[in-house]
Amino acid sequence: APPTKDTFEKAFVEVEKAEAKDWTGVFQDMYSPDDKNPDSKRFIDLDAKTGELQVSADTGKEKWGRKFDPKTSVNPILKATDKPSRRTTSFLCKVPKDAPIYADAEKGALEFTLTLGTAFGRKAIKWNGLYNGKGGKFGGNEVPATDCDNFWFECEAKAEAKE
């Protein structure tokens, strides 16, 4: 069984230095309540033209992001902060304008700060909670503030490029 979120949080160590390429990879979304598929994958790719770190996903039910559709408007990007180990993102672009949660998303519900680190010998990304960790109303429910809401865990070691 996968580790509990508490166990994962205790094992997580933030990296001291990180470049854009260090964020890239294929990840498992560990604790999202809306995606229980163990084969679901998240992707962070560095776009060579724009320099953007772009988020995509293949949940088994749907594929979204620029990895699968280079022209889509669904393109959450990881924006640099003053700390190389932290980036911010918004998933507002994933929410249809007619969705009941759109108003909440517009108010910042789907803004997050991500922290790059390691856990159990692999790359991991810690996500804070809704409203960039502050919590608030979302879809009619009050969501608590949290610094640690989820982890993305690197799926498999990347093949090293042969010289």
Side-chain angles (χ1 to χ4, degrees):
T4 64
K5 190 161 54 176
D6 284 347
T7 303
F8 208 109
E9 189 174 8
K10 287 183 183 92
F12 181 80
V13 179
E14 185 172 349
V15 298
E16 287 180 29
K17 297 190 181 106
E19 296 173 36
K21 66 177 172 35
D22 298 325
W23 287 84
T24 62
V26 182
F27 301 88
Q28 182 179 4
D29 183 329
M30 299 298 290
Y31 306 105
S32 267
D34 60 347
D35 184 1
K36 299 288 187 209
N37 176 3
D39 297 323
S40 182
K41 301 276 185 282
R42 304 292 179 271
F43 305 90
I44 300 175
D45 295 298
L46 183 58
D47 184 284
K49 283 191 194 115
T50 63
E52 290 175 342
L53 281 168
Q54 301 174 339
V55 178
S56 303
D58 179 352
T59 65
K61 289 191 213 82
E62 65 166 342
K63 291 180 178 174
W64 56 263
R66 293 269 169 98
K67 183 176 199 70
F68 303 105
D69 177 358
K71 294 192 173 33
T72 183
S73 61
V74 178
N75 181 34
I77 56 172
L78 305 188
K79 296 187 174 127
T81 67
D82 56 2
K83 260 190 125 169
S85 59
R86 303 213 174 160
R87 291 203 171 231
T88 58
T89 194
S90 168
F91 273 41
L92 175 61
C93 62
K94 265 199 78 334
V95 182
K97 286 193 169 54
D98 60 356
I101 59 165
Y102 189 79
D104 295 336
E106 256 192 333
K107 291 178 194 150
L110 301 180
E111 290 174 11
F112 304 96
T113 295
L114 283 54
T115 304
L116 184 63
T118 57
F120 309 107
R122 296 202 327 249
K123 190 185 306 187
I125 297 173
K126 180 172 86 166
W127 289 67
N128 67 0
L130 294 175
Y131 293 97
N132 206 7
K134 295 180 197 80
K137 281 220 177 308
F138 187 67
N141 301 310
E142 195 62 36
V143 180
T146 178
D147 177 50
C148 181
D149 194 50
N150 193 11
F151 285 96
W152 285 8
F153 195 34
E154 189 170 41
C155 287
E156 61 271 328
K158 285 195 200 131
E160 292 299 316
K162 298 270 190 285
E163 303 252 333

